[in-house]
Structures are given as C-alpha cells and as structure tokens.
Amino acid sequence: MAYLSLTNISKNFENVVAVKDFNLNIEKGQLVSFLGPSGCGKTTTLRMIAGFEIPDTGTIFLDGVDISNIPPNKRDIGMVFQAYALFPNMNVRENIMFGLKMQRRPKDEMIRRAENVLSLIRLENTAKRYPHQLSGGQRQRIALARALAIEPRVLLLDEPLSALDAEVRVVLRGEIRRIQSDLGITTVYVTHDQEEALSISDVVVVMNNGLIEQVGSPQEIYRKPNTRFVATFIGTANEFHGFVSDSSHVQCDEINIYSTRVGKLATGVKVVLLVRPENVEIYDQPPGRDTQNVFEGKIDTITFHGAITRLGINASGKIITADVSISSRAPVTHNQHVWLSFDPEYCQVMAE
Amino acid sequence: MAYLSLTNISKNFENVVAVKDFNLNIEKGQLVSFLGPSGCGKTTTLRMIAGFEIPDTGTIFLDGVDISNIPPNKRDIGMVFQAYALFPNMNVRENIMFGLKMQRRPKDEMIRRAENVLSLIRLENTAKRYPHQLSGGQRQRIALARALAIEPRVLLLDEPLSALDAEVRVVLRGEIRRIQSDLGITTVYVTHDQEEALSISDVVVVMNNGLIEQVGSPQEIYRKPNTRFVATFIGTANEFHGFVSDSSHVQCDEINIYSTRVGKLATGVKVVLLVRPENVEIYDQPPGRDTQNVFEGKIDTITFHGAITRLGINASGKIITADVSISSRAPVTHNQHVWLSFDPEYCQVMAE
Amino acid sequence: MDISRKSKPTASQIIFITLFLLYMIIPIIATYVFSIATRWDRSILPEGYTLQGYRDAMKNPYFLITLKNSLVLSFGSVLVSLLLIVPTVYWVHLKVRLAKPLLDILMILPFGIPGVVLALALVQVYNFAPLNRSPVLLTSAMVVFTMPFMYRSVSNNLEAIDIPTLTEAAQSLGANTIDILVKVIIPNILPGILSGSLLVFATVFAEFTLARLIVGAGFKTFPMLLVEYTRKDGTIAAGLSVISFTIAWIVSLLILWVGGKGMKTSQDVIKAH
Amino acid sequence: MDISRKSKPTASQIIFITLFLLYMIIPIIATYVFSIATRWDRSILPEGYTLQGYRDAMKNPYFLITLKNSLVLSFGSVLVSLLLIVPTVYWVHLKVRLAKPLLDILMILPFGIPGVVLALALVQVYNFAPLNRSPVLLTSAMVVFTMPFMYRSVSNNLEAIDIPTLTEAAQSLGANTIDILVKVIIPNILPGILSGSLLVFATVFAEFTLARLIVGAGFKTFPMLLVEYTRKDGTIAAGLSVISFTIAWIVSLLILWVGGKGMKTSQDVIKAH
C-alpha cells in the first residue's frame, strides 16, 4: 500500500462541489503537486490531508492507518502556508521551536534541532530576529524550517511561493526541492503555477472543477496530456478544430493533418488537435518530400524571449505560434515567407 | 535629431545619485525599455521625461524643442502608472474623457474618441463601470486607454504590469506592444522584468546604479552583453573566472576555454567568461574531434521546464547548467556520464 | 478541541450575544416608550399612550432656542474643524509625509484631555472679552475635543487614496492645480470629510459638560435643557431624549452610509497595493 | 502651479500649523502654570509660584475618596468591557465573519447616543434596587459609552493578524486549543486589548456627565470634585486638573506606545497580503 493514500474523497461546501471522488496514492519520499486553477479543489484536498477539513466521504490512510478522524494537531503533518503564518510575537528560533515545545522535547534537543533546520535553509544568522524583520523569501524559509523541525511524516505546502517575487520564487522552489530530496520527506505541494509544478515534482496531479484530470510525471503531463484542459492549462498550444478523417488523420478546415496520436477515436468524431510551439519546425526553403504536415505561411510577429524567439506565422489566415531556438542559425524577418511542419508524433488529438 | 532626446541628465536626491550623465536618443515610433533592478534610476528618468522631477543638469528635447522647463500638464505626454491611478470617483468613460475635458474638446469628439480607445483595448462594454468593479488587468487597460485618448506625443509606462498576475502580465504586454505598433506611438517602458523588456522592446536600455550599462536591441543585449552586470541580470549564465591566456583563450582553473570573443583584452587580464545554458551542447558519446571546448561530466540534477529541460552537470566539481530542448531525442538520467561543449562564438568574455 | 472556520456557533455563544444586544438596546427603547407613556410605574407595560410630553416640551420657549443654539454650535464646530483639519492633513499627506507620525500623536491627545480640564483651562486662560464664556470659546473647545474624529476620518480617507499618484495622473492629462483639487482630490476625500463632519456634529450636539462649564446659562444648549427637565418632568425629558437621540441616530446612519460609499470607492486604490 | 512631492512648505502653511498647535496647547500649559501660580491676574506672567494649591487639594477628605471612586470605576469599566467585547469579537472573527458588518454598525451606535440621553434612559429603566443610581449602573453606562473604543482596537488588531491561519499553523505543529489561545492568539492581540483598555480607562476617568446624572453625589468621582472646586478655588481646581490631565497623559502615552508595538508586530501579517 502507498504511504499516503486518499480513497473516494469528496467534499462539498454548502452544495458547491469542492472535491469529487478523489483517489490518489503517494509513495514515501515523493513530491506530488496538485496543480490547477483557483477553485479546482487542490487546496481543499490539501486541507483534508492536514485535517482542517473533514471529507464528506472517503478515507485518508497514512502509513496504513486511517487518519480521517484524527484532529490536525495529532496527525504529525507539517504545513507551510501561502501567507507564511509565522507567529509575529515570537522570534525565529521560538517559531521553529514551537512544535517541539508542544511535543515537550528536552530543551537541548530543541535547540540542536532548531540549529539544524536553520542551517538546512541557510538562515543561521536570523535566529533572534522577528518575522517582521525578514523579507518574504526569508519568512517562507523559516516557515518551512518550522514545519520540518517536528520531523513530520508528511509535508504539505499550500501555494508557498505565491506571495513572493518572480526571482525569489525560482530560487526558493529549487531549495524546497533540494531539501525535500535530501530529507526524503513525502510532500504534497499545491500550486496554480504550471512551471512550478513541472520543475519541482515527481508526480503532478492536474485538477479542474474538483476532479482529477490527469496524474503523471511532469514529462507525461506535458508531452501526453489526456484532456484538452491539461494540454492548454500546461504550456502553450496551437489548437486546430476538426474531425477524425481516418485512423491517423484529422481534417481541420481546409487542411488535413497527419498524427500518430489519433488512437482509438472513431472516424468522424469531432476533435481538437494540439501542437506545441516548440514542435513546429520552420524552414526558409520548402522541406524535403519525406517531411510530414508541411504548410506555407508568412511571419506576422516576432517576439524575442532570450533563449527562444516566438514567431506568429500567418498560414492562410490562421496564426500559428512557433518557437525557434537561438541556435537555429537562420535569422527571421517580418513578412518572410516560410514553411512550417508538425511532427506527427507531437500532434495531440483529443475529442471535443 | 532624434524625436525624444535626453542629454547629460543627472539627478540627485539628498546627496544620493539617482541618475548620472544619462544620454539617449529615441526615434519616433520606437518602444524603448528602461530595464534594471529597483533603485537603478529607471523610474526617476521616466519621471523627468514626464516632468514630475526636474533634472539637476542636462536637457530633454522633444521633437526638437527643449521641454525641460515645461510643467507636466503642458508636455502632452501620456503616462501609465504601476498602481493604475484611475480616478475612483469617475466611471471608465469619465476617466478616459478626463484628459480631453482638460483640453476643452467638443463633447461629440470626446465621446467618439473614448469609444475608439475603448475598442482599441477591447473593453467597449465597461464604459459605465467604476474602477473598483474591474479586475487589475482591466484597470490597467483603461489606464492605457486614458493615456492614449489625448493622443500624447510620447507614452510613458512605469512598471505597468508589476501589480498583475503572471498570466495577465503576458497577455497584456502583448496587447501593449500591438497597440503601440498600430498607433506608431513613441513609448518609454520602465520594467525590472528582463523577460518583459526583451519581448516587448525595439531598444532596451539596461541601467544600474543610475548609469546606463548598455543600449541595444533585445538580441544584442541578450547575445552580446557588454558588461557582466548585463550578462547576469538578463537571462542565466554559467560563470568561469580566469585570465586571458592568448588572443582566443581563457584559462579558468584547470580548464582552458577557446572563445572568439576575447576581443582586445590583453593576455593576463583577469576575466569572467560567460556561457548561457542554451549554448551548452550535451552528448552521450564523446563528440567528434572538430568540436571545441569539450568537457566531461555527470548529470547531477534534472529539472523539467516543459519545452526545455535544465540539467545541472557536475564537471570536475563545478556545476554547469545546460538547457536541452524537448526535441533532443536522447533521454537523460540522473548520474549519467555525459560530454558537453561550448561553441566558442557564444563564450562571452569580459574583464572583471 | 476544534477551532476550524466552519463550525457552528454554540448555544451559549448565541445567548451571550443576545443578552449583550438587549443590554444595549433596552434602555433606548424604554426611553421611546416612556416618552409616550401616560403612566408606567405600576405595571410591566405602560397603562396608556399620549404625545402630551412632546407637546409640553415644544411649548417651552427654551425648546426652540436651545435647539437653535445646539445646531449653531454643531454646524460652527464642523465648519471650523473642516477649515483647520482638511488643509493641514492634505498638506501633510502630499508634501511632508515625515510629519505624519507627529500629527498622528498630536491628534490622539484630545482623547487624553478630560473635558472638565479643558473647559476649566479655557475659561481661565481666555477670560477676557469678547472670548470669556462666549459661544466662540465653546466652539473652540468643541473643535479641540472632537479633533480626533475629524482627523481620523480625513486622514484614513487620504491614506486609502493614493493622492500623489492621482495628482500626477491628472497632471499628465493636462489638469492644472484647481482642476486637480476640484475634480480629483475633493471628490475622492468627500466620504472622509462627510463622515468626519457627521461625527463632529453628533458629538458636539450631544456634549453637555463643556457647554455647561464654559458658557453655562448664558448660551443654553439642547442637552442642558434636557438635564433641566430630568429634575422636573420625566416624560418631557424622555421626549427631548427621543428628539436628541433621533437626530443623533439620523446622523449615525448618514455616517455609516457615507462611510460605506467611501469604502467602496477607496477599494480601487487599496486593492492596487 | 506645481504640486509635486518634493516642494518645500510655504511660509503661510508653517504659520498656519504653528498657530494651530499653540491654540491647542496653550490652555493646557496655562493650567499647569496656574496650578502653581500665587497670583496671575495683574501681569502676563504669574507673580510667584507655590505648591499650596496641591497641598490644599490633597487636604480635602474627598480627594482620596473621589480618586479611589474614579479609579474603581475606570478599572471596573475596563474589566467589564474586556469580558464583553474580546470574546465576542474573537468569536465573530474566527467563526461568523458574516456577522462582522452587523457588529461594525452596532458598534458605531454608542457614538450616536448622547451621554445625557443614555444616562436618563438608564436611570428611568433600571430604577429598582440594587441597580438604581448605583455604581454598577454607572459602570454599565460607561461600558456602553466607551464600547466603540474597545471594539475598534480589538477588532482592528484581530483584522491585522490572520487568526484563522495562525490557529491552523499552531494546530499543525501539535498545539491544542489552550496552547493556541495562551501562546498564539492572546499575545498577538495584546496590543489591541491594551490600547482599547487604556482608551476606555482614560475616557471613563474623565467622564463627568454620566457620573453626575446617574449617581450624583452618592458616588462622587474625581471630575465631579474638580467641577466643584471651579466654583470655589481656581488654583486648587487647576491643581486637580493637572493631576487628572497627568493621569490622562500617561495613559495616552501608554496607548501610543502599545499601539506602536502592535503596529510593528502586525506588519508581518499585513505585508504578507
């Protein structure tokens, strides 16, 4: 059995469905992200694991024991909140020692442990400071240290980086991942930021409207989205609407696109075909005959993003987005006539 | 002469240098970004163009006329603020018509113009709403429309997207660029977000400590940074510290790196050599003999970012960051033995 | 042991709150009832109802005089307070932000000045004509006494509105100083000005100690008349109370209404931060 | 025409502010001086200084009695106010957020109740033993009268601290309800509790109207003694004023100090939003 297991969890708030029939197994030491737009139920699920909400139906097992009816202060679960939730009346060391004090640990052990977690987050010199004297990033690290100090069985993080600046966010997510890996602590991470979820997780759980849309590794989620919601919520995608014309082709308006991902969809089914910008190849000459899915177009917009340049290509009225990397030698110019192709393997097809 | 020209501008606040000897020419219709960390002087410079601050020295010419001593309400310059600065007591239409009312334009012209700018920002249906009824993104669009309604000679934007969510930010910066291009309005855009500056600008002015570090197109700034500050503030870079060993080589610790960018730096000069992660090539077999700057290493960390995967490679103790794109077929695994190379053309060298 | 956000209030808490509300409201309701009761000392409910108390109250020649005096005093205090406080606060907010903490401290002091002490000090210091024991002196005292209310209202409103940025936005759109003041600043701090004015009005209208100690019988106010009647006729006093309370009540409702409007328009700027 | 942030204040504005400060402060200083002046009606400065006024004041047997009465009344009101308001506000904040606007409205009402009316209503309604004209009744009146101060202080403090999240954070760290209250909630709303208590204390200590109308001579308070002396001996009255004012002043300073501390610790949570 998995270390943390949620079975058939449902939760309504005054007749509004927050979470519906949620099933998930989390292995020991994994970092699992709940990813979705606000209101998708990810935070409610996390709060049920923490014990702040009671599921209407279903059971939560931790290490083989049903914890559904254990109050939050007996669950041995560490939690990090978006708003830091440091105790303003205590200094950093007192904040970190709070959980240990509740467990009535011996004084010297508390002090040693506080020093350990402070060095883990590299903030040894802040022990005597008060929360209001720290930056947002520092506060969130202290909150992490405080949660880790009690050596919880599971660490829960509820949008821990949302209140921080972009730069701090990137640095801190790297640190969270490093510490989590080093300690091997089972972690559930809630976020609405797909980049964050992809870069930090072992497993991503994409949620929408209280339901799980897909569970998988970041690579699976990104490369093989099961649903249109997953495909468009994560990353960017060109969308083509049409219908299945045979077991490996989709007819979209005038054009017929070859895809190896039609799967078991029946001929005639209305579908949407998705191609990510980085899977659109650009040529300044017509490509060879063995290249599939070749279309002509004219460069409409050029946006420089550093390592990549994003092109908007007008192909018979439809704007197709393509990303070209800095190493592609051919310079592009506005209104340039170009050819583009989609690799059939990267043309995701899903029923509308 | 350029359309907007700043010559020898300096400004101190109580003995603190805010801007020092700032010289810049902006052509008509260009979008120029001032990019730098907070406190670099970018906003002060913008405020001097607007007339909210008076330069201690130097002159500002607009369309050939010295505007340094013209009060802000006579400069004919549109301004968009980070905090929106919509008038809370007026509805959207009244906000937009405020500037036209100040110019005592005929009523029907005001109404027509308000409708025009509202359709420009695609918010025709909000005319009667009050600012507090709109989302942040909508408010900032209204602020843009209000600034554009008076057909200013120059449009100034002071971190217009900082208060908005990541998603809205990306959409709105595209719209700002589209509207700016369509109207051909000379624009100065202040931001601390390098991605924003790169993606939106004709010209980027990188500032630090009140001084201009570099002026150039986004591509120039990104690919050929003049200073170490520019190279590290914009994008990510691997840094190697060493000294020039001959006209095309830099000796860094044990390794000797071939670079075509040593330029006129004398042999023996202490330098830093910078290579961006996307310019580090990865091989699972030793590459051919004609490949330059080849090193061996072991994959230490793998972070998935969607279109690219970021690798941390341990090359004899030093962690080198490399980005591999999704289309590179070879899957990578933890602790894998790999070879990496830097293209000599992308090895930036600058004196320390 | 659960203090989660969703749990229902317990019965004891409901009882507690109910008693608490009754404790506050019963005397007020009783005053209303008493003012129209014929006799109410022998039974739980009054024996009959009449408006005689009100008729008698209004017959007193002092009724209109004291009402007028109190209104003049209240409006006068509001006016002086506005002229003193609004420009000062606006100026501090726009130009000398550093002076704001100092002003915050100064403006809490009137809370610490006992009305009795203030009245005595003023009577002693300004005991020369034409100030001595004059309505002017009383007005000054009232202004000082109610200053914190006006200051807080205006200052909080200015705080909520980002005045410097709005000023610059208006300037960039071609507005001159007068346009900015009339079309941007004043409309946006109007809720603060109004709610401050109403608080000052209500407080001054109800104030008894200062009026009695500073001017005494020379300039009788409505609360003074009311106190006089408490010794003479309970029903008439109750009637006067009802009138006084109704005026105060209307003013309070206006404060809430204006405050609510102010809140709404300020949200725009508050959310932006 | 320039209203930019950096321009210097003009001379007229400086004069304006200075006059304004003098107007507020002179009477207070004068009271201090008057309390130790031998004679001060024939010259600009007093002719000599003496502490005789204080000695005389303290000789009055009522001095200690009224001081004690006022202190008992003030502490009593603070205690009742705390017991009534703090649990209610905490409960509303944590569990029934929807009731908060209602409570906000209820809590502005005492501003709209004239002291005179309240006193009259209470005397009329609770005119049976043991309540009638008792210190208990006076305390109730004081509590109602000063309720907005306590409510605002505690409520603002609770508003600034994210109580539900702090509660959850403490729970996740293994704390039970008592630990949470004692170690997390109370320490963090202490500034609000203290500043509310001090405001109530200062107001009750200085209140004259309610005390005089509700209990009268039966339970003489310090302000009543003060008013009595204004008719008899100006210097002694000034001495009592100084004592009263000094107590109020100390309380005010405490309010500011406590308020400042509260601000600082609340910043943490405020900045997080």
Side-chain angles (χ1 to χ4, degrees):
Chain A
M1 197 177 185
Y3 188 63
L4 177 63
S5 173
L6 290 86
T7 54
N8 302 317
I9 301 289
S10 294
K11 178 77 184 174
N12 297 345
F13 289 120
E14 284 154 18
N15 301 323
V16 177
V17 176
V19 179
K20 204 174 153 188
D21 200 28
F22 189 100
N23 285 284
L24 185 71
N25 288 314
I26 298 175
E27 301 302 328
K28 194 161 185 165
Q30 274 190 330
L31 193 157
V32 176
S33 291
F34 294 174
L35 172 66
S38 61
C40 73
K42 56 191 192 302
T43 294
T44 303
T45 310
L46 191 83
R47 290 172 59 78
M48 287 191 284
I49 301 173
F52 299 134
E53 307 287 355
I54 309 299
D56 295 341
T57 67
T59 321
I60 300 171
F61 291 97
L62 179 57
D63 208 3
V65 178
D66 178 359
I67 59 164
S68 309
N69 292 311
I70 296 177
N73 57 337
K74 307 280 186 211
R75 287 198 184 186
D76 233 347
I77 280 176
M79 178 110 179
V80 175
F81 299 83
Q82 181 182 339
Y84 322 136
L86 295 179
F87 305 126
N89 58 314
M90 303 180 197
N91 68 25
V92 165
R93 189 203 301 277
E94 289 162 350
N95 263 285
I96 290 174
M97 297 202 311
F98 184 85
L100 301 167
K101 249 180 209 152
M102 293 301 112
Q103 298 177 348
R104 316 235 179 291
R105 302 280 183 93
K107 181 107 197 211
D108 56 337
E109 187 197 329
M110 291 203 286
I111 290 171
R112 205 182 56 244
R113 194 78 78 77
E115 273 167 17
N116 283 351
V117 291
L118 272 173
S119 76
L120 205 61
I121 55 161
R122 296 172 185 159
L123 283 177
E124 294 89 338
N125 55 346
T126 63
K128 295 247 168 82
R129 297 219 208 130
Y130 280 83
H132 67 89
Q133 299 170 309
L134 303 173
S135 72
Q138 289 175 321
R139 284 184 222 184
Q140 199 55 299
R141 279 188 233 190
I142 301 298
L144 178 65
R146 183 178 66 175
L148 292 172
I150 57 167
E151 292 180 329
R153 295 190 291 173
V154 175
L155 177 65
L156 306 178
L157 301 112
D158 186 8
E159 305 241 11
L161 307 179
S162 301
L164 302 170
D165 286 345
E167 230 170 312
V168 182
R169 220 150 48 208
V170 172
V171 174
L172 199 44
R173 82 179 180 214
E175 290 212 24
I176 290 174
R177 179 53 162 168
R178 172 181 64 78
I179 292 168
Q180 187 272 336
S181 299
D182 288 357
L183 300 179
I185 185 170
T186 313
T187 301
V188 181
Y189 188 105
V190 162
T191 180
H192 66 272
D193 181 333
Q194 45 109 358
E195 200 193 318
E196 213 167 284
L198 290 182
S199 65
I200 208 176
S201 317
D202 295 310
V203 173
V204 179
V205 179
V206 185
M207 294 181 71
N208 191 28
N209 288 328
L211 290 167
I212 293 182
E213 292 266 338
Q214 188 169 358
V215 178
S217 73
Q219 288 81 349
E220 280 166 1
I221 296 285
Y222 186 83
R223 291 181 191 155
K224 293 176 189 167
N226 280 349
T227 65
R228 188 174 160 202
F229 174 81
V230 175
T232 51
F233 187 74
I234 291 155
T236 321
N238 292 292
E239 292 190 22
F240 300 89
H241 299 269
F243 57 88
V244 176
S245 59
D246 67 38
S247 65
S248 63
H249 283 87
V250 174
Q251 184 71 33
C252 307
D253 293 330
E254 310 291 275
I255 62 174
N256 193 273
I257 303 174
Y258 169 43
S259 167
T260 60
R261 303 236 174 241
V262 175
K264 298 198 177 82
L265 291 165
T267 306
V269 169
K270 281 187 102 177
V271 293
V272 57
L273 184 144
L274 299 154
V275 189
R276 297 207 182 275
E278 68 267 23
N279 297 129
V280 179
E281 292 291 324
I282 300 292
Y283 316 86
D284 45 11
Q285 301 288 330
R289 280 174 175 242
D290 52 346
T291 310
Q292 308 277 359
N293 295 329
V294 176
F295 307 97
E296 281 183 61
K298 221 168 65 169
I299 294 180
D300 186 59
T301 56
I302 304 173
T303 318
F304 185 69
H305 287 277
I308 61 136
T309 299
R310 174 156 291 185
L311 306 177
I313 297 160
N314 188 327
S316 26
K318 183 168 173 63
I319 300 291
I320 294 168
T321 306
D323 286 350
V324 295
S325 89
I326 196 171
S327 50
S328 86
R329 62 281 107 213
V332 287
T333 55
H334 197 71
N335 281 330
Q336 187 185 339
H337 193 93
V338 291
W339 286 259
L340 47 88
S341 75
F342 317 142
D343 188 331
E345 215 189 315
Y346 291 114
C347 294
Q348 302 294 329
V349 180
M350 43 204 76
E352 276 209 274
Chain B
M1 193 174 190
Y3 187 65
L4 176 63
S5 172
L6 290 86
T7 55
N8 302 317
I9 300 289
S10 293
K11 178 76 183 174
N12 297 345
F13 289 121
E14 284 154 17
N15 302 324
V16 178
V17 177
V19 179
K20 204 174 154 187
D21 202 28
F22 189 99
N23 286 283
L24 184 71
N25 289 314
I26 297 174
E27 300 303 328
K28 193 160 184 165
Q30 275 188 330
L31 192 157
V32 176
S33 291
F34 293 175
L35 171 67
S38 63
C40 74
K42 56 191 192 300
T43 294
T44 304
T45 310
L46 191 83
R47 291 173 58 80
M48 289 191 281
I49 300 174
F52 299 135
E53 307 287 355
I54 308 300
D56 295 341
T57 67
T59 322
I60 300 169
F61 291 98
L62 177 59
D63 209 1
V65 178
D66 177 0
I67 59 164
S68 310
N69 293 311
I70 295 177
N73 56 337
K74 307 280 187 211
R75 286 197 185 186
D76 233 348
I77 280 176
M79 179 110 179
V80 175
F81 299 82
Q82 180 182 339
Y84 322 135
L86 295 179
F87 305 126
N89 58 316
M90 303 179 197
N91 67 25
V92 165
R93 189 204 301 277
E94 288 162 350
N95 262 286
I96 289 174
M97 297 202 311
F98 184 84
L100 301 167
K101 249 181 209 154
M102 294 300 112
Q103 298 177 348
R104 316 233 180 293
R105 302 279 183 94
K107 181 105 198 215
D108 55 337
E109 188 197 329
M110 291 203 287
I111 290 171
R112 206 181 54 243
R113 195 79 78 77
E115 275 168 15
N116 283 351
V117 290
L118 271 175
S119 74
L120 205 60
I121 55 162
R122 298 174 184 161
L123 283 177
E124 294 91 338
N125 55 345
T126 63
K128 295 245 167 85
R129 296 217 209 134
Y130 280 83
H132 67 89
Q133 299 169 309
L134 302 173
S135 73
Q138 289 177 319
R139 284 185 221 184
Q140 198 57 297
R141 279 189 232 188
I142 301 298
L144 178 65
R146 182 178 68 175
L148 291 172
I150 57 167
E151 292 181 329
R153 295 191 290 173
V154 175
L155 177 65
L156 306 178
L157 301 113
D158 186 9
E159 306 240 12
L161 307 178
S162 301
L164 302 170
D165 285 346
E167 231 171 311
V168 181
R169 222 152 46 208
V170 172
V171 173
L172 198 45
R173 83 180 179 213
E175 290 213 24
I176 289 174
R177 180 54 162 168
R178 173 181 63 79
I179 292 168
Q180 186 272 337
S181 298
D182 287 356
L183 300 179
I185 186 170
T186 313
T187 302
V188 181
Y189 188 105
V190 161
T191 180
H192 66 271
D193 181 335
Q194 46 108 1
E195 199 193 319
E196 210 168 287
L198 291 182
S199 65
I200 207 177
S201 318
D202 295 309
V203 173
V204 178
V205 178
V206 185
M207 294 181 71
N208 190 27
N209 288 328
L211 290 168
I212 294 182
E213 291 266 339
Q214 188 168 356
V215 178
S217 71
Q219 288 82 350
E220 281 166 1
I221 296 283
Y222 187 82
R223 291 183 190 156
K224 293 175 188 166
N226 280 349
T227 66
R228 189 175 160 202
F229 174 81
V230 175
T232 51
F233 187 74
I234 291 155
T236 320
N238 291 294
E239 293 190 23
F240 299 88
H241 299 269
F243 58 88
V244 176
S245 58
D246 68 36
S247 65
S248 62
H249 284 86
V250 173
Q251 184 70 35
C252 308
D253 294 330
E254 311 290 274
I255 62 175
N256 194 272
I257 302 174
Y258 169 42
S259 166
T260 60
R261 303 235 175 240
V262 175
K264 297 197 179 80
L265 291 166
T267 304
V269 170
K270 280 187 103 175
V271 293
V272 56
L273 184 143
L274 299 155
V275 188
R276 297 207 182 273
E278 67 267 25
N279 297 130
V280 179
E281 293 290 324
I282 301 291
Y283 316 86
D284 45 11
Q285 302 287 332
R289 279 171 177 244
D290 52 347
T291 309
Q292 308 277 357
N293 295 329
V294 176
F295 307 97
E296 281 184 61
K298 222 168 66 170
I299 294 180
D300 186 60
T301 57
I302 305 173
T303 319
F304 184 67
H305 287 278
I308 61 138
T309 300
R310 174 155 292 184
L311 306 178
I313 297 160
N314 189 328
S316 27
K318 183 169 172 65
I319 300 291
I320 293 169
T321 305
D323 286 350
V324 295
S325 89
I326 195 170
S327 49
S328 87
R329 62 280 106 214
V332 287
T333 56
H334 198 69
N335 281 329
Q336 186 184 341
H337 193 93
V338 291
W339 286 260
L340 48 88
S341 76
F342 317 143
D343 188 331
E345 215 189 314
Y346 291 115
C347 293
Q348 302 294 329
V349 180
M350 43 205 75
E352 278 211 269
Chain C
M1 296 298 273
D2 174 47
I3 349 182
S4 93
R5 290 172 212 203
K6 310 285 167 186
S7 69
K8 299 234 171 77
T10 62
S12 71
Q13 280 163 326
I14 288 173
I15 292 167
F16 184 72
I17 289 280
T18 310
L19 285 178
F20 178 61
L21 295 181
L22 285 178
Y23 170 69
M24 277 181 67
I25 289 164
I26 279 182
I28 305 300
I29 294 170
T31 304
Y32 272 76
V33 177
F34 193 79
S35 74
I36 53 168
T38 50
R39 196 163 176 182
W40 194 14
D41 52 354
R42 294 183 302 196
S43 51
I44 291 177
L45 285 175
E47 292 171 23
Y49 301 96
T50 167
L51 287 175
Q52 195 57 39
Y54 289 93
R55 275 191 289 272
D56 291 345
M58 289 178 193
K59 250 187 250 157
N60 185 321
Y62 274 111
F63 177 80
L64 281 181
I65 294 172
T66 56
L67 194 61
K68 196 199 79 187
N69 282 350
S70 278
L71 289 175
V72 166
L73 191 64
S74 303
F75 280 116
S77 302
V78 167
L79 198 69
V80 174
S81 193
L82 281 176
L83 290 176
L84 273 173
I85 302 281
V86 176
T88 310
V89 179
Y90 174 60
W91 175 61
V92 166
H93 269 262
L94 193 63
K95 304 209 184 172
V96 276
R97 299 284 312 174
L98 289 176
K100 207 185 158 269
L102 184 73
L103 207 60
D104 280 349
I105 290 176
L106 265 171
M107 286 301 170
I108 206 180
L109 288 188
F111 276 137
I113 306 176
V116 173
V117 173
L118 179 67
L120 180 60
L122 286 172
V123 168
Q124 302 268 13
V125 173
Y126 301 119
N127 64 346
F128 45 84
L131 278 181
N132 56 333
R133 299 193 167 272
S134 67
V136 172
L137 191 61
L138 178 56
T139 307
S140 325
M142 293 292 195
V143 169
V144 173
F145 204 59
T146 57
M147 214 167 249
F149 295 126
M150 183 64 89
Y151 175 73
R152 284 265 146 242
S153 301
V154 176
S155 180
N156 287 348
N157 200 158
L158 274 168
E159 202 68 49
I161 306 286
D162 183 352
I163 290 297
T165 307
L166 287 186
T167 300
E168 287 180 356
Q171 277 182 303
S172 77
L173 293 165
N176 61 33
T177 304
I178 292 168
D179 287 327
I180 294 172
L181 282 176
V182 173
K183 298 197 175 124
V184 178
I185 306 301
I186 292 179
N188 282 308
I189 63 166
L190 208 54
I193 290 176
L194 283 179
S195 101
S197 299
L198 291 167
L199 273 172
V200 170
F201 186 94
T203 311
V204 173
F205 192 86
E207 169 51 14
F208 170 72
T209 315
L210 286 179
R212 194 170 154 288
L213 295 180
I214 293 179
V215 292
F219 186 81
K220 215 184 251 180
T221 62
F222 201 74
M224 280 156 80
L225 183 71
L226 183 50
V227 170
E228 223 168 71
Y229 265 109
T230 57
R231 294 184 205 125
K232 289 196 264 178
D233 186 323
T235 309
I236 295 180
L240 291 175
S241 291
V242 167
I243 293 167
S244 174
F245 183 68
T246 305
I247 292 172
W249 181 267
I250 290 168
V251 169
S252 294
L253 286 179
L254 283 173
I255 294 173
L256 284 172
W257 181 69
V258 164
K261 278 198 67 173
M263 285 295 169
K264 237 162 47 189
T265 52
S266 321
Q267 275 175 357
D268 180 39
V269 184
I270 293 165
K271 278 194 191 150
H273 288 275
Chain D
M1 298 298 274
D2 173 48
I3 351 182
S4 94
R5 289 171 212 205
K6 310 285 166 184
S7 69
K8 299 234 171 78
T10 62
S12 71
Q13 281 162 325
I14 289 172
I15 292 167
F16 183 74
I17 289 281
T18 311
L19 285 177
F20 178 63
L21 295 181
L22 285 178
Y23 169 71
M24 277 181 67
I25 289 163
I26 279 180
I28 304 302
I29 294 168
T31 304
Y32 272 76
V33 176
F34 192 79
S35 75
I36 53 167
T38 50
R39 194 162 179 183
W40 193 15
D41 53 352
R42 294 182 302 198
S43 51
I44 291 176
L45 285 175
E47 290 170 25
Y49 301 95
T50 168
L51 287 176
Q52 194 58 41
Y54 289 93
R55 276 190 289 270
D56 291 345
M58 291 179 192
K59 249 187 254 157
N60 185 321
Y62 274 110
F63 177 79
L64 282 180
I65 294 173
T66 57
L67 194 60
K68 194 200 81 188
N69 282 349
S70 279
L71 288 175
V72 166
L73 191 63
S74 303
F75 279 116
S77 303
V78 167
L79 198 70
V80 174
S81 194
L82 281 175
L83 291 176
L84 272 175
I85 302 281
V86 176
T88 310
V89 179
Y90 174 60
W91 176 60
V92 166
H93 269 261
L94 192 65
K95 303 210 184 171
V96 274
R97 300 281 313 170
L98 289 176
K100 206 184 158 270
L102 184 73
L103 208 59
D104 281 348
I105 290 176
L106 266 171
M107 286 302 171
I108 207 181
L109 289 187
F111 276 138
I113 306 176
V116 173
V117 173
L118 178 67
L120 181 60
L122 287 171
V123 169
Q124 302 267 13
V125 173
Y126 301 120
N127 64 346
F128 46 83
L131 277 181
N132 57 333
R133 298 194 166 271
S134 68
V136 172
L137 192 61
L138 178 56
T139 307
S140 326
M142 293 292 195
V143 170
V144 173
F145 203 59
T146 57
M147 212 167 249
F149 295 126
M150 184 64 89
Y151 175 73
R152 284 264 146 242
S153 301
V154 176
S155 179
N156 286 348
N157 200 157
L158 273 168
E159 202 66 51
I161 307 285
D162 183 354
I163 291 297
T165 307
L166 288 186
T167 300
E168 288 180 356
Q171 276 183 302
S172 77
L173 293 165
N176 61 32
T177 305
I178 291 168
D179 287 327
I180 294 171
L181 283 175
V182 172
K183 296 194 178 128
V184 178
I185 306 301
I186 292 178
N188 282 307
I189 63 166
L190 208 54
I193 290 176
L194 283 179
S195 101
S197 299
L198 291 167
L199 273 172
V200 170
F201 186 93
T203 311
V204 172
F205 192 85
E207 171 43 298
F208 170 71
T209 314
L210 286 179
R212 194 171 154 286
L213 294 180
I214 293 179
V215 293
F219 187 81
K220 216 184 251 181
T221 63
F222 201 73
M224 279 156 79
L225 183 70
L226 182 50
V227 171
E228 221 167 73
Y229 264 109
T230 57
R231 296 187 201 121
K232 290 196 260 179
D233 186 322
T235 308
I236 295 180
L240 292 175
S241 293
V242 167
I243 292 167
S244 174
F245 184 68
T246 305
I247 292 171
W249 181 266
I250 290 168
V251 171
S252 294
L253 287 179
L254 283 174
I255 294 173
L256 285 171
W257 180 68
V258 165
K261 277 198 69 173
M263 286 293 169
K264 239 164 43 191
T265 52
S266 324
Q267 274 175 0
D268 180 40
V269 184
I270 292 164
K271 277 192 191 151
H273 287 276

